[in-house]
Amino acid sequence: MSASAAGVAPFSGDRAESIEMIRDSARGLLGTDLARVRKLRFTEPGFDGGLLRQMGEAGWIGLAVSEEAGGTGLGMGEMVALAEEAGRALAPEPLIGCALSAHLLAAAGATELLGQLLAGEAVVLTAWQDRANTLSLASSAEGARAFVPMAGGATHILWPVAEGKGVALHLLTRDQVTITTEATQDGGHLGTVAPKPFSGHGPGQHIADDIGAALTEALDRAALATAASLLGGMEASFAMTLEYLKTRQQFGKIIGTFQSLQHKAADAKMQVALTRAAVEQAAAALDDGATGEAAQAIVSRAKARASEAGMLVAQACVQLHGGIGYTDDYDVGLYMRRAMVQAPALGGAALHRKRFMALAPETEE
């Protein structure tokens, strides 16, 4: 049994203090008032550019980028803590997408644009997939790329392209692409990005010859951060639900005393605890140097758990609120809508379970 699964935090001492400082920073900047989130829903770009710049100034975008490359130089333990708090606050800013791009720009040595991204002055997003529910790079260099979160606010697009035996990285500015957006259930959007007509080998500016390994690592780290964001949403909606169960009365009794509701709440709490164990164990493994298939397997275990549990807990919380939980005016439903968007992002539960079994199959002793 892992330390996390046994109820012992995977980080301690100075590291635990560093992670708690990240949490405090996030709570202070993001706050707890969901009125901001409601105001931004179904608008474009759908997030607060000023707040994204503040995130950059706080070092969040480059949290896991090395100090040599201009980042903060922290680890995945801090990154998942930050993503968890962003999920708790339902922050619509594309923090995970920008962090993914920062990882690629650092690998490419594109220092000027990386500096702008880390400062929150540029919104650089990566268009890498052309179909849903995949971790595979798009097969075409010229075809449209889809499912780019909050793409309407991008100033630059990173465009990885399979060239020969490697993956080259191209950069396109906003005026070199056409972006069409489609609203998601939570009020954000996903963008489909198509390069405008170009000449030469690949669209935009060629900025790196082979970032294949960096892309694989960046996608895994983004998947784990998304799992952590789901965890934050689960904990926030569950805390909201517990408070409701303690105060709402029916038939002259507090509804939290009803055994059937206690059972459902206990099941939800178990799902939250198991997800936390999986996410924190994966972050600790990456920080301890796990690479290759070992890293991919443990990330897939965490993302599969979070994607499945995120929906189960969100649905349970809405149901435990009764009719009011289904109304758009009540905040618990916002967490369910966010879970509906994040659960399939960067691979859903089924995809990650399949990958985990392929990389770490069960064996009989």
Side-chain angles (χ1 to χ4, degrees), residues 57 60 103 265 316 363:
E57 292 167 359
W60 293 5
H103 191 92
T363 57

Side-chain angles (χ1 to χ4, degrees), residues 10 17-19 58 108 115 120 146 153 156 174 177 201 277 296-297 323 327:
E17 291 182 12
S18 170
I19 290 172
H156 299 77
R174 183 64 179 81
V177 297
H201 189 59
Q296 291 177 345
T327 64

